Amino acid sequence: MDTALTRSQFVRWRAAIFAIFLASGLSIATWASRVPDIKAALHIDNGQMGLLLLGMGISSIIGISTSPAVMARTGARLGMLVTMLSFAIGVGLVGLGTNVLGSVPVVVAGLVLFGLGNGSLDVMMNVEATAIEQQMGKTILPVFHAFFSLGTVIGAGVGALVVNLGLNVAAHTLIIAVIIAVLAFACWMNVPNREAALDPQPEEKPHWRERMHVALEAWREPRTYFLGIVMLGMSFAEGGANDWLALGVSEDHHAGPALGAAALATFSVAMTVVRLFGGPLVDRFGRVVVLRVLAITAAAGILLFILAPSTPLVFVAAALWGVGASLGFPLGMSAAADDPAKAAARVSAAATIGYIAFLGGPPVLGFISNHIGLLNTLYILVVLAALSGLFSGAARPLREEEKVSAG
């Protein structure tokens, strides 16, 4: 632990980052669990739904790509507060546009704010989590991502409940928006002003342009791109599930919206369990072995989801899909942070690649599914999961002499 922080400050910092991961997952699952209802209320098809997702994806990519500049300029503490408030407002606007105003442009505006905020926050919170992992000296990043998944479990579970209760999208999303805003301020109060990875003391703080130069150096390292491929495949699998799994169960497997939300919850529970208990497995067997096994599991789960002849098998497939997609992203982040001196820059670069896939992939799947059907489109995820497994060797820990010259 950084000697500049007391034990109490460190514990509160770690708890705040756990809560931020949870809030991000809660927001995404809130949106994902209501996709069938939003689609029905706005009277749009899969292609038009893909356009909505594209707007969110583009804004998310903008948020991701500008996040290092925001951190270099302001530090993560203020940046995380602003971005959380941004996507909280976005979640509320999605609900208002769906039921109160019946306006696609308002929903698009909400998704743009949602995407900008969540995209930027995702990079910041991963940089913060890897800084905490480095200070603790053990594999803990999957636990942070488990809290993200826990947020999706809560969001999906609440989504399934409110669908059964008949609560409309507006009421649901406005309640969640208020909860996220309250969490944002609570976390802001507990993230310390001085964070080892991002916010040195004023007298030690280099010019922000120098910090930007360091951040951009990571993009010249081939290992960044190899890790990006590992994360891309798993991010496509996770993002595709978040945005299309419920709809696939509801419409393509003819099980209805409530079971669609329940299947998404199953996926999220499976992912959360593996992230909570995956750290010791990684420490024992290594990142590469774990990533390869999980890539096979993800591909098998998605294939079963596509081909399942019955609803129970769809739920088994959702569980396997969640297990397989669970650790690709956090282990990619851990690998990017192997050298503490360059952790922030490399984590930002690798996270950008992964989140472009996570957020930009589902809209692409929507456009393709409008022509060949959603289940057929998911074969793309099978291929990408296999590709992730093939490139998992990039996650092998760096030797000391490689840390300053990765790639």
Side-chain angles (χ1 to χ4, degrees):
M1 185 172 67
D2 186 358
T3 55
L5 298 178
T6 67
R7 176 65 182 173
S8 174
Q9 287 174 321
F10 180 81
V11 169
R12 285 188 281 113
W13 176 27
R14 184 177 58 191
I17 304 304
F18 277 135
I20 289 169
F21 270 83
L22 186 143
S24 180
L26 174 64
S27 70
I28 289 172
T30 297
W31 150 257
S33 67
R34 300 311 297 259
V35 164
D37 295 304
I38 293 169
K39 179 186 173 187
L42 296 176
H43 307 291
I44 57 178
D45 59 24
N46 281 356
Q48 293 167 314
M49 198 72 207
L51 279 174
L52 292 184
L53 292 170
L54 180 62
M56 181 176 69
I58 290 173
S59 63
S60 298
I61 291 167
I62 293 171
I64 289 165
S65 62
T66 58
S67 187
V70 173
M71 287 189 290
R73 188 71 173 180
T74 68
R77 184 173 185 253
L78 179 60
M80 289 189 295
L81 173 64
V82 172
T83 53
M84 287 182 75
L85 293 177
S86 172
F87 72 72
I89 293 169
V91 168
L93 282 177
V94 168
L96 290 174
T98 299
N99 294 127
V100 178
L101 302 174
S103 170
V104 172
V106 172
V107 172
V108 171
L111 289 176
V112 167
L113 278 175
F114 179 80
L116 279 171
N118 242 319
S120 188
L121 178 71
D122 280 334
V123 174
M124 294 182 190
M125 69 188 189
N126 271 287
V127 171
E128 291 292 278
T130 53
I132 292 169
E133 182 178 72
Q134 289 292 338
Q135 292 186 46
M136 293 183 67
K138 64 179 181 179
T139 303
I140 191 176
L141 197 59
V143 181
F144 283 99
H145 284 260
F147 271 76
F148 174 87
S149 297
L150 178 60
T152 66
V153 170
I154 294 170
V158 170
L161 177 64
V162 298
V163 166
N164 279 322
L165 293 176
L167 193 68
N168 68 25
V169 177
H172 179 194
T173 56
L174 287 172
I175 292 169
I176 298 299
V178 171
I179 291 171
I180 292 171
V182 171
L183 275 175
F185 281 104
C187 293
W188 175 73
M189 291 169 60
N190 287 284
V191 173
N193 281 317
R194 187 191 190 283
E195 303 159 24
L198 296 169
D199 297 323
Q201 296 285 16
E203 62 270 20
E204 302 171 357
K205 190 172 183 178
H207 194 278
W208 73 274
R209 289 190 181 88
E210 181 182 341
R211 300 171 83 191
M212 276 298 298
H213 176 73
V214 172
L216 292 173
E217 279 184 348
W219 289 101
R220 295 197 292 269
E221 299 171 355
R223 185 173 181 259
T224 297
Y225 295 95
F226 297 149
L227 288 174
I229 292 172
V230 174
M231 295 163 64
L232 182 146
M234 291 299 102
S235 295
F236 252 95
E238 184 178 352
N242 284 334
D243 282 323
W244 294 109
L245 190 151
L247 195 63
V249 174
S250 176
E251 296 187 357
D252 294 82
H253 284 294
H254 312 291
L259 285 180
L264 179 61
T266 299
F267 168 89
S268 299
V269 167
M271 178 173 281
T272 302
V273 169
V274 177
R275 285 177 169 174
L276 280 172
F277 300 103
L281 290 175
V282 176
D283 290 337
R284 178 170 182 177
F285 297 106
R287 294 178 192 144
V288 176
V289 171
V290 171
L291 284 171
R292 286 175 178 165
V293 170
L294 293 182
I296 293 170
T297 304
I302 299 166
L303 273 174
L304 181 58
F305 183 86
I306 295 167
L307 302 172
S310 66
T311 300
L313 281 177
V314 168
F315 276 79
V316 172
L320 289 173
W321 189 345
V323 168
S326 60
L327 296 183
F329 201 94
L331 292 186
M333 293 290 93
S334 288
D338 275 344
D339 181 4
K342 296 187 177 181
R346 289 172 176 168
V347 166
S348 294
T352 297
I353 297 172
Y355 279 116
I356 285 173
F358 180 78
L359 298 162
V364 174
L365 298 180
F367 284 120
I368 296 173
S369 72
N370 219 33
H371 298 284
I372 65 174
L374 180 56
L375 294 183
N376 287 331
T377 301
L378 295 181
Y379 283 111
I380 296 171
L381 300 185
V382 177
V383 174
L384 291 174
L387 193 65
S388 179
L390 288 174
F391 279 85
S392 61
R396 188 172 288 108
L398 292 176
R399 296 188 297 272
E400 288 301 318
E401 63 270 20
E402 295 175 317
K403 287 186 175 182
V404 295
S405 58

